[in-house]
């Protein structure tokens, strides 16, 4: 078993013992998503820590989007619950990049792409190929794409 998955299971056990309903429910849903990913496809397999982290990031994104939807629908209590679940999941993800750190990485990637001959807005794909491995898991794709577009336009 991967270290991240076993950490999730250990934390779930502790949350159940402490009767922390929010944390235990969130960890149960996350472990179910991991198990579903493991058995998807032709044969069952165990996920690596990186793959487990991607599943956790996907679950956290679902919580953010649901919180926004509930908030815009006037269901503040449910939105707060989704945000709280997202915060529980954030403990298992790498620290997110600040806007300044992301801008610096994007600027570096744009220069690298220009050196390779990519220019203007058409360089978007080349820059994304360079910057994505550097920010993997530490910034959401939409946020990275927006930073790249802004840098290429300006």
């Amino acid at each position: 078993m991967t270290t991240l998955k076993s950490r999730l299971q250990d934390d779930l056990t502790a949350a159940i013992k402490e009767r922390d309903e929010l944390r235990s429910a969130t960890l149960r849903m996350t472990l179910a998503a991991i198990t579903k990913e493991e058995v998807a496809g032709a044969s069952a397999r165990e996920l690596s820590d990186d793959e487990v982290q991607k599943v956790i990031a996907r679950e956290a994104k679902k919580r953010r989007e649901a919180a926004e939807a509930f908030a815009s629908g006037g269901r503040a209590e449910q939105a707060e619950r989704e945000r709280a679940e997202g915060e529980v999941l954030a403990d298992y993800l790498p620290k997110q990049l600040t806007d300044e750190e992301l801008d610096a990485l994007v600027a570096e990637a744009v220069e690298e792409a220009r050196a390779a001959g990519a220019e203007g807005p058409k360089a978007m794909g080349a820059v994304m190929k360079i910057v994505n491995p550097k920010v993997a898991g530490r910034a959401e794709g939409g946020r990275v794409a927006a930073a790249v577009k802004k840098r290429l336009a300006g």
Side-chain angles (χ1 to χ4, degrees):
M1 187 181 309
T2 62
T3 56
L4 187 54
K5 185 177 175 187
S6 62
R7 179 178 158 212
L8 284 166
Q9 289 181 326
D10 293 344
D11 289 353
L12 172 60
T13 303
I16 291 170
K17 287 179 181 176
E18 295 167 8
R19 299 189 187 281
D20 184 345
E21 191 275 330
L22 172 75
R23 191 171 193 76
S24 61
T26 304
L27 293 177
R28 271 193 184 113
M29 282 189 279
T30 305
L31 285 166
I34 291 168
T35 302
K36 183 178 175 186
E37 189 77 22
E38 286 177 334
V39 297
S43 63
R45 63 189 179 85
E46 191 166 318
L47 299 180
S48 68
D49 270 351
D50 286 343
E51 292 170 316
V52 169
Q53 199 166 30
K54 286 179 184 172
V55 172
I56 295 170
R58 190 171 46 227
E59 290 296 309
K61 183 178 180 186
K62 285 180 190 176
R63 300 308 185 282
R64 271 193 307 281
E65 290 171 353
E68 289 172 20
F70 282 127
S72 67
R75 298 194 50 202
E77 189 176 305
Q78 194 67 31
E80 191 54 44
R81 166 83 182 199
E82 293 292 334
R83 279 190 205 97
E85 288 180 2
E87 288 171 17
V88 168
L89 294 175
D91 293 344
Y92 301 95
L93 294 171
K95 184 179 171 288
Q96 295 293 297
L97 292 172
T98 64
D99 289 338
E100 293 79 28
E101 292 169 329
L102 181 59
D103 287 342
L105 286 171
V106 167
E108 196 176 289
V110 167
E111 292 308 313
E112 201 173 313
R114 283 194 177 132
E119 271 303 318
K122 293 179 181 174
M124 179 85 178
V127 174
M128 289 298 285
K129 281 181 188 171
I130 295 168
V131 82
N132 272 336
K134 295 178 183 178
V135 300
R138 298 184 301 154
E140 211 171 279
R143 197 172 145 221
V144 175
V148 170
K149 280 181 189 171
K150 180 180 162 190
R151 178 64 68 165
L152 289 174

